[in-house]
Amino acid sequence: MKIIVLGPDYGNYQAASYQHEFMNSLKNIVSHYYHFNETGIFDLDFLLLKANFTPDFVFYNHGWLTDNILAKEITYSQVKGRWPKNVKHIIFLNKEYVLLKEKLFTIKKYRFDLIFSHLHNLEKKNKTDIKSIFLPLACNINKLSNLRYRKLSERKYDLYFSGILQNWDQRKSQSDLRKKIQNELFYCLYDFPILKKLKYWNLRIYWKPFYKNRIKNVISNWLHGKKLDQKNYFDTLTNSKCVLHTSSPIGIISTRVFEALGAGAIGLYSDSSNADVIFKNMVHFVSFSEIKDLIEKIYLIKSNSQSSKFQKIANKGREFVENNHTWNDRAQQFLNQLKKL
């Protein structure tokens, strides 16, 4: 299969790695692959000359349609010329909670052949006549190392959380549950956790919030340590008994869901996280309904970390991710859908 990718290069992208992980896995399993990431207006003949092949599919990646609400142009670049008739055009929607109406309008305007999305219920929001396919996020198992096999009883942290407390521009589509949990566990100054509350002094917690404001992040780095690089992030996951996750904007099933389970930890996910779309509660992960329920389950797992019940859940979650939810799995699922066109 021959694929040309159009859109940004995510190789050095610091905010997230899932776009690069997916494209890198795709590159490894197709016969011909070329990624053109220049912006502006470009000539199709020039592009095909650089690729040195005519593609079966043109894949407009996660960044082809902008998430910047202030951008003048919604598309990453523009192509001058006509593609051969038999070439199919595929696009990956990203961050469907931003400019979705405009993105779908553009997709319909340019008559794409297929839409992929990490949002499980995009079909309900898709107002075009173009089919959309749910392709979940995933985990790079190779980054976790064999530390993911260590028992819960051998892990340092009782609870792990890092991330944005609440997307600043998505308060209507994302709850403030993470803030409420932070306020329950810590004495806080504004939205900075300062000190763990005395009643939770016996819990070992890794807690690192991220902020939209640069100055806040500098203060957070001083109070809570710097943001972990990828290696230390995955190492810390594999050294945690429980990993907290709550709902993302509009219910996208986050990479954290897959990475926590792949790390062999107990995924402690809120019942609004949509983890149950893919995984089974009390088989692959443990859900909680409210803060009191969360706290009770943290202590239950801490005090029974050698219990076969929770260790079995951790093992099954890890095995299910290893066997079904890696980026190599996603790339193959993507190609299987293309073959149907």
Side-chain angles (χ1 to χ4, degrees), residues 66-301:
T66 186
D67 300 318
N68 182 1
I69 60 175
L70 301 177
K72 292 182 179 179
E73 296 287 340
I74 192 169
T75 58
Y76 182 77
S77 55
Q78 296 180 41
V79 184
K80 286 177 61 179
R82 287 185 173 274
W83 293 91
K85 278 188 176 182
N86 60 335
V87 175
K88 302 291 185 182
H89 297 264
I90 315 302
I91 191 164
F92 219 123
L93 267 179
N94 191 42
K95 296 185 179 178
E96 291 83 348
Y97 49 88
V98 182
L99 299 174
L100 179 59
K101 183 179 178 181
E102 292 82 355
K103 290 174 180 177
L104 290 173
F105 176 83
T106 303
I107 288 171
K108 185 175 181 179
K109 175 183 175 182
Y110 288 103
R111 299 177 183 177
F112 281 87
D113 295 288
L114 192 62
I115 303 168
F116 282 91
S117 171
H118 295 310
L119 178 63
H120 65 286
N121 61 355
L122 177 68
E123 198 62 31
K124 294 179 181 178
K125 304 174 185 290
N126 182 6
K127 304 303 181 183
T128 75
D129 57 356
I130 302 167
K131 184 178 181 181
S132 57
I133 301 290
F134 169 48
L135 195 72
L137 290 158
C139 176
N140 187 338
I141 289 296
N142 295 327
K143 290 185 177 179
L144 287 166
S145 81
N146 289 338
L147 292 174
R148 67 184 185 271
Y149 297 110
R150 88 171 117 198
K151 302 295 184 184
L152 296 176
S153 59
E154 300 169 358
R155 298 181 178 223
K156 176 179 178 179
Y157 297 107
D158 299 312
L159 180 68
Y160 172 97
F161 170 77
S162 69
I164 297 171
L165 294 172
Q166 185 182 29
N167 286 52
W168 67 276
D169 58 345
Q170 296 300 320
R171 291 183 175 91
K172 290 183 179 179
S173 61
Q174 185 183 24
S175 79
D176 61 351
L177 180 57
R178 296 173 194 174
K179 284 185 177 180
K180 290 176 178 176
I181 293 170
Q182 177 174 278
N183 289 335
E184 172 63 29
L185 293 172
F186 298 92
Y187 299 111
C188 297
L189 182 62
Y190 300 106
D191 53 353
F192 289 104
I194 303 301
L195 190 66
K196 189 167 52 177
K197 289 185 176 178
L198 292 176
K199 62 180 176 179
Y200 300 124
W201 203 248
N202 61 337
L203 288 181
R204 303 193 72 174
I205 301 174
Y206 180 92
W207 193 273
K208 169 63 176 173
F210 305 149
Y211 302 90
K212 182 73 174 177
N213 184 289
R214 186 181 67 84
I215 295 174
K216 279 189 168 185
N217 280 319
V218 170
I219 296 171
S220 177
N221 289 345
W222 178 70
L223 289 172
H224 317 117
K226 290 185 177 181
K227 180 180 179 181
L228 299 174
D229 61 24
Q230 277 212 344
K231 182 182 184 306
N232 286 320
Y233 163 70
F234 283 112
D235 285 348
T236 307
L237 284 184
T238 58
N239 205 16
S240 302
K241 295 180 178 70
C242 303
V243 175
L244 172 67
H245 179 67
T246 68
S247 61
S248 304
I250 68 172
I252 294 172
I253 304 166
S254 165
T255 51
R256 179 65 53 80
V257 170
F258 301 93
E259 290 166 349
L261 300 188
I266 294 288
L268 263 181
Y269 304 146
S270 68
D271 55 11
S272 59
S273 69
N274 289 315
D276 57 353
V277 170
I278 297 172
F279 302 98
K280 293 182 179 179
N281 182 32
M282 296 306 293
V283 176
H284 304 116
F285 74 99
V286 176
S287 72
F288 66 93
S289 57
E290 56 186 2
I291 296 178
K292 180 181 178 182
D293 185 32
L294 168 69
I295 300 299
E296 288 176 354
K297 284 174 176 172
I298 294 170
Y299 275 108
L300 188 60
I301 293 165

Side-chain angles (χ1 to χ4, degrees), residues 1 57 90 114 116 131-135 330-341:
M1 191 175 289
F57 300 93
I90 315 302
L114 192 62
F116 282 91
K131 184 178 181 181
S132 57
I133 301 290
F134 169 48
L135 195 72
R330 296 294 180 260
Q332 190 57 61
Q333 290 159 12
F334 178 83
L335 291 186
N336 291 342
Q337 291 295 334
L338 298 194
K339 290 173 184 177
K340 296 176 182 180
L341 289 177

Side-chain angles (χ1 to χ4, degrees), residues 40-59:
I41 301 172
F42 61 87
D43 186 82
L44 177 58
D45 291 335
F46 169 73
L47 168 60
L48 293 176
L49 184 65
K50 292 196 74 172
N52 200 29
F53 65 87
T54 300
D56 302 307
F57 300 93
V58 182
F59 171 37

